[in-house]
Amino acid sequence: MVSCTSISDAYPVEAQLLRTFVAVARLGSFSGAAVELGYTQAAISQQIAALESDLKVPLLNRRPVSTTEAGARLLEHAEELLLRLDVARADVTRMTQPPAAALVVGATPLAAGSSGLALALSALRRRRPRLDVTVQVGARANVLTSVARGEFDVGLTDGLTAPGDPLSEFSSLTAVGISQAGVAIVLSCDHPLAGRAGLRLSDLADARWIEASDVTSPLSEIRRLAGVDGFRPAFRYDGSDTMSLIRLAAAGHGLTLLPETALPPTGISAVRVTSPRVVHRVDFVHGSLREGSPAAELAALLAPRG
Amino acid sequence: MVSCTSISDAYPVEAQLLRTFVAVARLGSFSGAAVELGYTQAAISQQIAALESDLKVPLLNRRPVSTTEAGARLLEHAEELLLRLDVARADVTRMTQPPAAALVVGATPLAAGSSGLALALSALRRRRPRLDVTVQVGARANVLTSVARGEFDVGLTDGLTAPGDPLSEFSSLTAVGISQAGVAIVLSCDHPLAGRAGLRLSDLADARWIEASDVTSPLSEIRRLAGVDGFRPAFRYDGSDTMSLIRLAAAGHGLTLLPETALPPTGISAVRVTSPRVVHRVDFVHGSLREGSPAAELAALLAPRG
DNA sequence: CCAAGTTACGAGTCACGTAAGGATT
DNA sequence: AATCCTTACGTGACTCGTAACTTGG
């Protein structure tokens, strides 16, 4: 046991380099990231080189572009870090502005549809008739970053989880589960399984599936939960409208997995998934809530529900 | 409900500005921060001005220097953020290096003394005789940042908490409580309270206290836990040696609060604190542990203990 | 009036863009 | 041959330091 002297040195890692790295890693392309970030391709190359020489580790494999092991590790940290930077900026900036006469709610399509959002908003508008409420529907990642940046006051995201729930993947945002529902597979009426009471996900590994990652969980996620391979996309739906997706599935273009709460009460043939035990959960996500703000009131309205 | 378009814009906040801001806020001085960071005072002034103009909020009051409300908010985010940057760097950098033949443990003085550290290290050295073990003792903040930076493989910190324990103040590091003990006040033998079985902290608010923030909890913390004012420093001990502090207290220079486990078995008069119910807890702190590393083994040895 | 932060200004650096160069498919 | 990343190089912007200025105790 020796007494300690504190050491402190130069610390070059700068945020812009991380932003660029994340963009390149996500897009799998230097030139793509250049367009997205408004730089030239050469600048991107230089920034990545700077980051790699700073950390003294190759972060990306080139041609095709993919993350190295170290790069993957950095990516995890970087995404969280940049999100938190956004939270910090939003949090501080908010303090200058007047106490928000409007409420902007971001939501993924299924979160907007299921969960008590519509009811909670009704209750809120009853209590604050003059409040200007906006709901914006978008992909999960966009909802999260927009909430982090303060563009949305709060967000609702959804996803599949095992009934025992971890999922607090971003430590800079607070997430609370506000509703859970079973999940079901939408089938065409003439499908052999139609009418069954329940089914096992793994039995459908070889069926034709619809990849609709803007609406429901991507097939890769379903594959992971089922624990078996398969679930290959036979059809791709890029829209964000739930009803259209249901119609496509009902018309036999492929299977899709949705929470039971998202299904229309009649006219659609759907079978409950009984194994594995997964639930569709809606999470209420927010940064720091200001006492008495509309966002805080909405949180209170949503929280107590099961 | 309207469909969504994702928005994305310029994001100037850079890490260096945050480092400077944190230094200034912590030291309460531009010129002090300049010395610490190796800049001129003017540069610091410019960096703070840049940050404030970027965020469009005054962050610091000048003369004397203190944080504004917005600044205080930013400070919370910034400290966590910078720590996480360090964690990211250490995590990635570690991947280049060979699998560590040495183990460096950082610890606060009381954490090194109490807790099963000595025993756990013995067990570890028995299993890995050739392992080069170093224990460095330092202040809590230094231990945390050094662990974050990878300078220490793991850390042991200590502090007072209510028996129901939150304390995971840094989301980028993992902390596990590994030992708890009651706390006691060290008295001189001729002190009127000496020999009592227990006492209430609030009864000692007006006594002479020793401020020894490098060893035990600062008086401000004790004041907070007691819930009453007082606990004013009558004596200041800047060292990090527990025994010296105990001797000073025993000699009547003032009171000090220590975990019972840190007291020598005989020769010292000390009285247990019975109210409020606080415990001294030692936390085991680490970043990401590599499978099979000495650090991971030590974690396993320390974890099961109560 | 002194300590401490701000402002002005010049200099050096650093990072970007242009453009040419490789490499891989 | 086409695409995509890297390298070379010149230029512009940015940030730092010096030094003069200002303000508050």
Side-chain angles (χ1 to χ4, degrees), chain A residues 30-31 41-42 45 62-63:
Chain A
F30 282 56
S31 30
Q41 184 194 36
S45 185
R62 323 295 157 101
R63 217 185 314 262

